[in-house]
């Protein structure tokens, strides 16, 4: 009996939710690929990666993890699970063990996103408060989704989910790309992550890499077919 094909687990990043994968999910399901798009808590690298690892551990059979943006940091850590057979980075961070998002970003010029963040507070255990960030609505179109239709961008900006500020300084406890095959898509017009950060991470991880000219950070929404093609490559290679 041939082994079961991998389940594709899609992990969204900051300022977004699982609905951003709709076009990609449709493409993959048309090919009969099992897909699960998880709801990323966005509360910090350690706890978010632990949540993702718990989801993966409850899936029977092999898994290909796909991370967009901050989701790339999560698959880097959670991807050490035994049943993860491949990693796919979509306009994403591929961290080294012991490295934080800020440390990786600081190697390169800051993207426009950094000047466009709005701070909020939220309650934590013990009556304390913590800080989270979102993208200022007026900056969202150019920073996050410059190649997406204005009507869709307005919805994305209004429904964005903030990221805990602590996520930028927490260090990755593992780098799964050291032992798992990986693929990467670089969005060369990304204004949320410097494309050179994406290129550097992909090269360091030894990823099979494609680069999309003119693609924004919201590449899974604007170019779902291209994103799905790369994921299909990973599924075929690990089946």
């Amino acid at each position: 009996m041939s082994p079961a094909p991998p389940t594709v687990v899609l992990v969204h990043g900051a300022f977004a939710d699982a609905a951003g994968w709709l076009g990609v999910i449709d493409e993959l399901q048309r090919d009969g690929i099992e897909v699960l798009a998880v709801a990323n808590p966005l509360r910090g690298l350690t706890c978010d990666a632990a949540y993702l690892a718990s989801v993966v551990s409850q899936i029977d059979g092999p898994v290909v993890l796909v991370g967009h943006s901050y989701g790339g940091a999560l698959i880097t850590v959670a991807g050490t699970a035994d049943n993860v057979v491949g990693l796919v980075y979509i306009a994403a961070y591929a961290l080294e063990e012991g490295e934080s998002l800020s440390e990786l970003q600081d190697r390169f010029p800051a993207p426009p996103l950094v000047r466009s963040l709005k701070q909020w507070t939220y309650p934590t255990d013990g009556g304390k408060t913590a800080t989270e960030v979102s993208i200022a609505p007026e900056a969202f179109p150019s920073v996050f989704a410059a190649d997406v239709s204005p009507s869709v961008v307005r919805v994305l900006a209004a429904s964005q989910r903030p990221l805990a500020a602590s996520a930028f300084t927490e260090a990755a406890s593992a780098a799964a790309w050291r032992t798992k095959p990986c693929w990467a898509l670089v969005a060369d017009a990304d204004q949320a992550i410097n494309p050179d950060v994406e290129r550097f991470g992909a090269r360091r991880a030894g990823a099979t890499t494609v680069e999309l000219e003119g693609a924004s950070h919201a590449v899974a929404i604007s170019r779902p077919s291209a994103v799905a093609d790369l994921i299909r490559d990973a599924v075929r290679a690990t089946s």
Side-chain angles (χ1 to χ4, degrees):
M1 180 181 296
S2 59
T7 296
V8 171
V9 175
L10 303 169
V11 186
H12 69 81
F15 323 122
D17 59 26
W21 294 111
L22 285 176
V24 175
I25 293 170
D26 180 59
E27 290 262 352
L28 297 176
Q29 287 181 337
R30 288 173 184 268
D31 283 345
I33 297 172
E34 290 291 327
V35 185
L36 174 65
V38 301
N40 183 351
L42 300 178
R43 294 298 82 178
L45 178 55
T46 302
C47 68
D48 293 344
Y51 174 79
L52 176 58
S54 74
V55 172
V56 169
S57 71
Q58 296 173 72
I59 296 175
D60 292 330
V63 169
V64 169
L65 281 178
V66 182
H68 172 244
S69 188
Y70 166 64
L74 303 188
I75 70 171
T76 297
V77 176
T80 57
D82 290 342
N83 62 329
V84 173
V85 295
L87 310 170
V88 184
Y89 294 90
I90 306 297
Y93 295 102
L95 298 179
E96 174 61 281
E97 183 176 353
E99 185 177 56
S100 70
L101 296 178
S102 292
E103 287 170 338
L104 176 54
Q105 289 188 128
D106 287 348
R107 294 170 178 251
F108 303 90
L113 170 75
V114 174
R115 303 188 300 272
S116 306
L117 294 177
K118 180 178 180 180
Q119 292 192 350
W120 307 77
T121 59
Y122 64 96
T124 62
D125 293 339
K128 297 181 180 180
T129 60
T131 301
E132 61 184 9
V133 292
S134 63
I135 301 174
E138 65 274 13
F140 194 95
S142 62
V143 167
F144 197 89
D147 56 353
V148 177
S149 70
S151 60
V152 173
V153 171
R154 286 194 294 271
V155 174
L156 295 175
S159 61
Q160 62 176 300
R161 293 180 54 217
L163 174 67
S166 62
F168 292 101
T169 55
E170 290 183 49
S173 61
W177 49 260
R178 288 193 167 274
T179 57
K180 307 291 173 80
C182 53
W183 291 257
L185 184 149
V186 174
D188 86 342
D190 201 329
Q191 300 295 296
I193 300 176
N194 185 326
D196 284 337
V197 171
E198 299 169 21
R199 295 183 185 104
F200 173 81
R203 184 169 59 250
R204 181 171 63 179
T208 299
T209 304
V210 298
E211 187 157 336
L212 292 187
E213 183 178 356
S216 76
H217 193 61
V219 63
I221 298 172
S222 63
R223 311 276 187 95
S225 295
V227 172
D229 281 344
L230 187 63
I231 297 170
R232 289 187 192 101
D233 289 345
V235 169
R236 282 192 292 267
T238 56
S239 293

